[in-house]
């Protein structure tokens, strides 16, 4: 598998989701594999594709805080994207196999990068999910680790979600540098339990930058895939510009 | 070991087709193997009655463990019924994939397409069990 690394900065939530969707479309259409690292500018709340957002979150509270908001094409729960490195992997399904295998394979690479930075990153064990009642105590993505997710000191440091379209998959997620997910609780209609997230700054006891993490991932991605190479310099992503209309449309953002 | 009832037909993408009393209508869902691989199903997005699909068109999506996957129509046809019970209890797909966890009933366009689906032995081999 030959990977193409895409570098992008300065994109909004809708632009980032549109670009990730475009990478997924490209992976499905061409069989190519992509990964990219990015951040949300401005900071943004993202809902999971099927989250009942109208029931869970207060649009007025979001407006009062002046937060950007978007609904992802992937599953999972709400995330506050502020101090983080966001990653996206779009690839043919055959590159990673089953859902469980793909979570684990991608997270192993990311955990290796965090280990290189000095964090004691481990994958959460596969285990039966907690009872439904417990799962719904918090709507935040970082509240509960699923099997194969990356933990530091037993708490989730990377929150990921995936969508499979035809023969391709998109997995993207947030690697927390600092801050908290308190914004999700602040805009929730019902009080929810504290999120159990961990940040790299807290884990390492020092301020850690986007660039440090990005470099560690780039180095580790190469190391763990010795038979592949990144294209440098990077060619244009695609002839077709990403369409952001879907992700700026309130009918999509607040569809449930 | 996943259940693969011998009287059903299957796709490589893990949907099953079950005959109903009406010969021109089949019941469609995902297999026991698929629900086990997906894990705890939290949402199933299904089409409206009357929607038509070509063979292997995506007819909906299913979300489990933060992953959204497409559902493919094993046969060309028109949706005659949708399992609305999945709206309030999507975990029916996990508990009873071939029974209460069914997804759509489809009036099929061409019964000959049934011959292209996998039998239970072929499907069992496909999933490596």
């Amino acid at each position: 598998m030959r990977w193409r690394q895409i570098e992008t900065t300065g994109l909004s939530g809708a632009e980032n989701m549109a670009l990730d969707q475009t990478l997924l479309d490209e992976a499905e259409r061409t069989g190519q594999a992509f990964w990219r690292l990015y951040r949300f500018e401005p900071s943004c709340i993202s809902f999971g594709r099927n989250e009942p957002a109208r029931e869970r979150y207060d649009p007025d509270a979001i407006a009062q805080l002046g937060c950007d908001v978007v609904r992802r094409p992937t599953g999972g729960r709400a995330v506050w994207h502020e101090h983080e490195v966001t990653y996206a992997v779009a690839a043919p399904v055959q590159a990673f196999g089953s859902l469980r295998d793909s979570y684990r394979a991608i997270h192993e690479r990311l955990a290796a990068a965090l280990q290189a930075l000095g964090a004691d990153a481990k994958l959460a064990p596969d285990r039966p999910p907690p009872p439904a009642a417990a799962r719904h105590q918090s709507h935040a993505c970082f509240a509960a680790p699923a099997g194969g997710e990356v933990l530091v000191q037993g708490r989730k440091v990377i929150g990921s979600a995936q969508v499979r379209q035809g023969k391709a998959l998109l997995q993207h997620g947030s690697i927390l540098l600092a801050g908290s997910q308190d914004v999700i609780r602040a805009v929730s209609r019902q009080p929810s339990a504290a999120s159990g997230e961990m940040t790299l700054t807290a884990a390492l006891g020092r301020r850690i930058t986007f660039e440090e993490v990005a470099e560690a991932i780039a180095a580790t991605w190469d190391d763990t895939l010795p038979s592949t190479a990144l294209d440098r310099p990077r060619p244009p992503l695609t002839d077709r510009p990403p369409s952001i209309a879907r992700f700026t449309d309130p009918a999509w953002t607040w569809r449930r | 070991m996943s259940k693969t009832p011998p009287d059903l037909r299957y796709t490589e993408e893990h949907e099953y087709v079950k005959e109903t009393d009406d010969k021109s209508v089949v019941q469609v869902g995902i297999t026991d193997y698929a629900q086990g691989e997906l894990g705890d199903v939290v949402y199933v997005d299904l089409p409206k009655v009357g929607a038509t699909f070509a063979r292997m068109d995506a007819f909906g999506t299913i979300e489990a463990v933060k992953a959204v996957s497409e559902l493919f129509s094993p046969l060309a046809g028109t949706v005659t019924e949708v399992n609305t019970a999945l709206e309030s209890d999507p975990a029916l797909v996990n508990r009873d994939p071939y029974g209460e966890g069914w997804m759509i009933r489809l009036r099929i366009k061409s019964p000959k397409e049934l011959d292209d689906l996998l039998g239970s032995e072929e499907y069992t081999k496909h999933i490596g069990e």
Side-chain angles (χ1 to χ4, degrees), chain B residues 85-99:
Chain B
L86 298 182
E87 287 171 18
S88 57
D89 190 3
L92 283 170
V93 174
N94 297 113
R95 295 200 300 274
D96 190 12
Y98 301 120

Side-chain angles (χ1 to χ4, degrees), chain A:
Chain A
M1 180 57 62
R2 187 174 175 82
W3 292 85
R4 285 178 60 184
Q5 182 190 359
I6 310 295
E7 283 191 354
T8 39
T9 55
L11 299 183
S12 68
E15 289 167 328
N16 276 317
M17 293 305 98
L19 186 47
D20 283 356
Q21 178 65 51
T22 299
L23 292 176
L24 173 62
D25 294 342
E26 286 291 287
E28 185 186 16
R29 192 175 66 87
T30 66
Q32 292 183 87
F34 305 91
W35 66 277
R36 77 178 185 113
L37 302 175
Y38 59 99
R39 50 192 147 197
F40 289 73
E41 297 177 31
S43 301
C44 181
I45 294 170
S46 75
F47 302 141
R49 179 183 184 127
N50 294 319
E51 264 201 296
R54 280 180 283 155
E55 174 192 312
R56 287 184 178 173
Y57 309 108
D58 181 354
D60 294 336
I62 292 172
Q64 275 177 7
L65 290 174
C67 298
D68 193 14
V69 62
V70 71
R71 187 183 284 270
R72 302 187 301 267
T74 53
R77 289 179 274 182
V79 177
W80 170 237
H81 303 277
E82 188 180 31
H83 304 295
E84 67 174 40
V85 175
T86 319
Y87 79 90
V89 173
V93 164
Q94 64 180 22
F96 291 109
S98 73
L99 179 58
R100 220 167 289 161
D101 290 346
S102 56
Y103 266 132
R104 192 161 280 278
I106 293 168
H107 285 147
E108 274 172 358
R109 293 182 173 103
L110 298 174
L114 302 193
Q115 286 161 4
L117 291 167
D120 183 21
K122 294 189 171 78
L123 297 200
D126 284 323
R127 60 183 177 195
R135 281 200 315 278
H136 293 297
Q137 281 174 359
S138 175
H139 306 317
C141 167
F142 283 87
E149 289 197 307
V150 182
L151 310 180
V152 171
Q153 297 169 23
R155 290 156 68 190
K156 199 163 151 180
V157 72
I158 303 178
S160 299
Q162 194 177 116
V163 61
R164 290 176 168 228
Q165 177 180 295
K167 302 282 188 192
L169 65 84
L170 164 68
Q171 181 171 316
H172 55 194
S174 301
I175 304 164
L176 297 184
L177 299 177
S180 77
Q181 294 289 305
D182 287 348
V183 167
I184 302 300
R185 284 187 287 283
V187 301
S188 294
R189 289 190 188 277
Q190 293 175 346
S192 57
S195 182
E197 75 268 8
M198 168 61 74
T199 69
L200 287 176
T201 294
L204 297 170
R206 66 179 176 86
R207 183 175 170 269
I208 189 154
T209 65
F210 180 97
E211 288 73 21
E212 273 181 275
V213 175
E215 282 172 21
I217 292 170
T220 310
W221 203 273
D222 277 344
D223 287 346
T224 52
L225 289 169
S227 62
T228 66
L230 299 178
D231 287 336
R232 294 173 192 274
R234 287 136 204 132
L237 167 63
T238 169
D239 296 334
R240 295 177 301 155
S243 167
I244 66 164
R246 171 185 175 192
F247 296 102
T248 54
D249 185 353
W252 166 258
T253 306
W254 295 98
R255 75 188 186 95
R256 290 192 74 213

Side-chain angles (χ1 to χ4, degrees), chain B residues 6 16 18 32 35 53 65 67 70 81 85 91 96 120-121:
Chain B
Y16 71 81
K18 188 178 189 176
D32 186 37
Q35 69 77 22
F53 296 99
V65 200
E70 289 179 315
E81 205 175 337
D96 190 12
S120 66
E121 279 186 25

